[in-house]
Amino acid sequence: MSVANVSKIALDTPTDAQEAENTPTNSDILREIRSLKDSMNKQSTDMLKAINDIKGEIQSHSQRIGETEERISQTEDDRRPRKLQRNFDDVKARFRALGVRYGMLYPAHLIITHNDKRRIFKSVTEAEKFIQEISSHAGGHTGN
């Protein structure tokens, strides 16, 4: 082994002092652990905030969906009485031809005034029977 090789090996080999310089101290390790902990806490806080924001959006959408379903349901409920009332259209025309006053009560009842007497019909069949009665009384008074 030559002197040049020995000196090169001596330069490349760390000394105890150099190793001590490169070895982290306990305070360096603790500082790094605290830094990691702070970073993890911030990430956890950011994730929780994002999750809560998403949860709030989901609740908001859910509420809007519920409100929309309620409006649709109310619209359907509003249409049912009108459909039922339209069932009386033919008998209303027949009462009109007989000179009998009539009107509709909510949700779908026909009210008439015949010979100063009020009658309420809950079905078209009832109203048709009454029309047959007053029509069969030839010469009977059909007005108010």
Side-chain angles (χ1 to χ4, degrees):
M1 199 184 265
S2 71
V3 177
N5 286 344
V6 171
S7 64
K8 183 177 181 199
I9 291 173
L11 288 175
D12 289 342
T13 306
T15 63
D16 287 339
Q18 287 174 334
E19 278 185 25
E21 241 180 68
N22 292 335
T23 304
T25 64
N26 285 346
S27 63
D28 291 338
I29 294 171
L30 284 173
R31 189 172 34 255
E32 200 54 39
I33 289 172
R34 284 188 194 111
S35 174
L36 287 171
K37 180 181 167 191
D38 290 344
S39 176
M40 293 295 288
N41 282 340
K42 183 178 178 343
Q43 288 178 356
S44 294
T45 302
D46 291 347
M47 284 194 301
L48 283 174
K49 183 184 178 316
I51 289 169
N52 285 330
D53 289 347
I54 291 169
K55 183 179 173 183
E57 287 180 28
I58 289 171
Q59 287 173 337
S60 174
H61 288 295
S62 178
Q63 182 179 0
R64 279 189 260 151
I65 288 169
E67 291 167 356
T68 302
E69 287 173 344
E70 187 176 324
R71 282 194 307 267
I72 289 169
S73 175
Q74 287 173 349
T75 302
E76 289 172 356
D77 288 345
D78 290 345
R79 289 181 185 160
R80 278 189 208 114
R82 283 187 236 135
K83 272 185 176 178
L84 294 172
Q85 290 172 359
R86 281 195 295 268
N87 291 335
F88 284 96
D89 285 350
D90 290 339
V91 292
K92 289 190 307 187
R94 291 170 65 191
F95 277 125
R96 187 173 29 250
L98 294 169
V100 176
R101 277 183 44 200
Y102 65 87
M104 292 300 300
L105 298 174
Y106 188 83
H109 302 310
L110 180 69
I111 183 170
I112 66 154
T113 303
H114 178 258
N115 290 337
D116 296 324
K117 189 173 181 183
R118 283 194 181 150
R119 294 188 62 132
I120 297 174
F121 302 104
K122 295 181 180 181
S123 73
V124 173
T125 307
E126 289 177 57
E128 287 174 337
K129 284 180 186 175
F130 185 74
I131 289 172
Q132 287 174 354
E133 270 181 43
I134 62 175
S135 296
S136 67
H137 292 103
H141 180 65
T142 57
N144 304 359

